[in-house]
Amino acid sequence: MPVVRTPVTVEALAAEGAPQRRAIAKAITLLESTRADHRAQADELLTALLPHAGQSFRLGISGVPGVGKSTFIETLGLYLIGRGHRVAVLTVDPSSTVSGGSILGDKTRMEKLSVHERAYIRPSPSSGTLGGVAEKTREAMLVCEAAGYDIVIVETVGVGQSETAVSGMTDMFVLLQLPNAGDDLQAIKKGVMELADLVVINKADLDKDAATRAQAQITSALRLFGHHGNPAHAQAMQAAHAAPGTPEAEVRFWQPRVIQLSALAGTGIDAFWDAVTQFRTMQAANGKLASRREKQALAWMWERIDAGLKHAFRHHPQVRELLPQAIAQVAAGTLPASTAARNLLAVQAGTTTTP
């Protein structure tokens, strides 16, 4: 059980050096705690942090296991620090479905970045949360922003085709791919690809021909999504093909693109950050960045409502009393799972009496 001995304050997060790092760590630990008294403290802290947060650029990094996310983030982080930025990295490690434990090893892969005074890296377990992120990743971003980090990078667990939660909490969603990532059909069917603002072919130096093929395949898939998928991407395509002088042609929208780089060799990072800068400038000018954050704030609210309702359900006295029997009946096949769920929900709502 996490232990937080003293309250964390906004002033402590504004400190410098080791005291600030301790304050950030304590704040995130407080936010991740499941104790009722800690949850109340966490709500107070978040309310106090809001006026000091929101000024950073939030970058989501996702990709399959082994694509080189940690290496890419370290190379990018050091590059950004060299340009005067302060970089916070929130990494998410998968939790074991057997033991519940997590190695939290991503930080060890970033040897240089993890010890830099202008960087902060916080690994967190997924703890069964779906979507490739941790339950309190959104809250941790606010802490880092209030501490003065102007670039916040969220690295997901190694994902497949459906882990897309990070795109709903960041300003830009970057998907890393390998040169031999699959054929045209594989590129088209990935749900995570549909949401990507920028696709990066990492390790392009290993097989330049394969990287070029992958770039062409994914570019074609993104064009298809523009016609039949993501509404924001479709809007960008319509603006790009609008007649000159029309209102639609005057507003610039971002069109997802594909680039090649090698994080290990350090090549292509300049081009990557140029693309990110173009995206940020364009989305800020057309209002999409502010709109995206508004939608994310509302999604965050409903996400916490869902989590709160589930917590309240599991801790309802009558539900806890009836749950073992319902579990036994469902496991034995004497009661349909849907009926058991409906009965338990009715008990929580007070619309039926316990047997």
Side-chain angles (χ1 to χ4, degrees), residues 54 67 106 270 308 314 339 342:
V67 75
D106 283 328
D270 281 327
R314 287 183 174 275
T339 302
R342 189 160 49 250

Side-chain angles (χ1 to χ4, degrees), residues 37-320:
D37 56 332
H38 287 174
R39 286 180 180 270
Q41 292 180 42
D43 288 340
E44 292 180 6
L45 177 62
L46 285 174
T47 302
L49 290 182
L50 276 180
H52 307 276
Q55 303 304 313
S56 76
F57 186 70
R58 304 166 182 173
L59 190 64
I61 307 291
S62 191
V64 297
V67 75
K69 295 187 294 294
S70 297
T71 302
F72 170 70
I73 290 173
E74 179 172 54
T75 303
L76 175 62
L78 293 171
Y79 170 84
L80 293 174
I81 289 172
R83 296 184 59 147
H85 295 284
R86 295 185 70 204
V87 180
V89 181
L90 304 174
T91 70
V92 183
D93 265 19
S95 297
S96 170
T97 55
V98 178
S99 67
S102 183
I103 296 175
L104 303 179
D106 283 328
K107 188 173 181 178
T108 62
R109 293 195 183 104
M110 307 179 197
E111 296 180 6
K112 296 179 181 179
L113 188 62
S114 62
V115 297
H116 202 288
E117 61 180 6
R118 295 183 63 82
Y120 180 80
I121 302 176
R122 170 74 179 214
S124 296
S126 63
S127 301
T129 302
L130 301 178
V133 296
E135 183 182 6
K136 296 304 176 75
T137 300
R138 296 177 190 269
E139 289 89 336
M141 285 194 296
L142 296 182
V143 172
C144 294
E145 290 176 347
Y149 290 92
D150 61 325
I151 303 293
V152 179
I153 300 174
V154 180
E155 178 193 355
T156 72
V157 301
V159 301
Q161 296 178 358
S162 58
E163 292 82 354
T164 58
V166 70
S167 69
M169 63 179 64
T170 53
D171 298 322
M172 185 177 191
F173 177 40
V174 177
L175 178 65
L176 267 60
Q177 290 284 85
L178 291 167
N180 295 298
D183 56 15
D184 293 303
L185 180 59
Q186 194 71 18
I188 292 172
K189 75 178 185 178
K190 291 190 174 182
V192 71
M193 185 83 70
E194 193 173 10
L195 298 175
D197 298 303
L198 181 65
V199 180
V200 174
I201 309 296
N202 192 24
K203 305 183 183 181
D205 56 326
L206 297 181
D207 190 336
K208 294 184 178 180
D209 291 338
T212 301
R213 284 196 302 272
Q215 184 175 17
Q217 291 169 353
I218 295 172
T219 299
S220 177
L222 292 176
R223 190 176 297 115
L224 180 62
F225 291 142
H227 286 295
H228 303 287
N230 192 322
H233 297 170
Q235 190 176 27
M237 291 196 68
Q238 291 171 5
H241 293 88
T246 61
E248 292 79 7
E250 296 300 319
V251 182
R252 300 182 63 197
F253 294 97
W254 173 262
Q255 286 185 280
R257 60 188 68 171
V258 187
I259 63 173
Q260 299 182 33
L261 59 76
S262 171
L264 189 61
T267 57
I269 299 299
D270 281 327
F272 170 82
W273 192 245
D274 285 345
V276 173
T277 303
Q278 290 176 30
F279 173 89
R280 184 177 187 179
T281 302
M282 193 178 298
Q283 298 296 86
N286 62 27
K288 290 292 184 181
L289 197 59
S291 175
R292 186 166 179 162
R293 287 204 175 184
E294 289 173 3
K295 293 177 181 178
Q296 289 172 357
L298 293 175
W300 180 17
M301 180 188 74
W302 285 111
E303 177 186 300
R304 301 321 307 155
I305 289 173
D306 289 342
L309 289 173
K310 187 174 182 180
H311 182 269
F313 173 80
R314 287 183 174 275
H315 289 79
H316 190 280
Q318 289 179 293
V319 170
R320 295 182 69 173

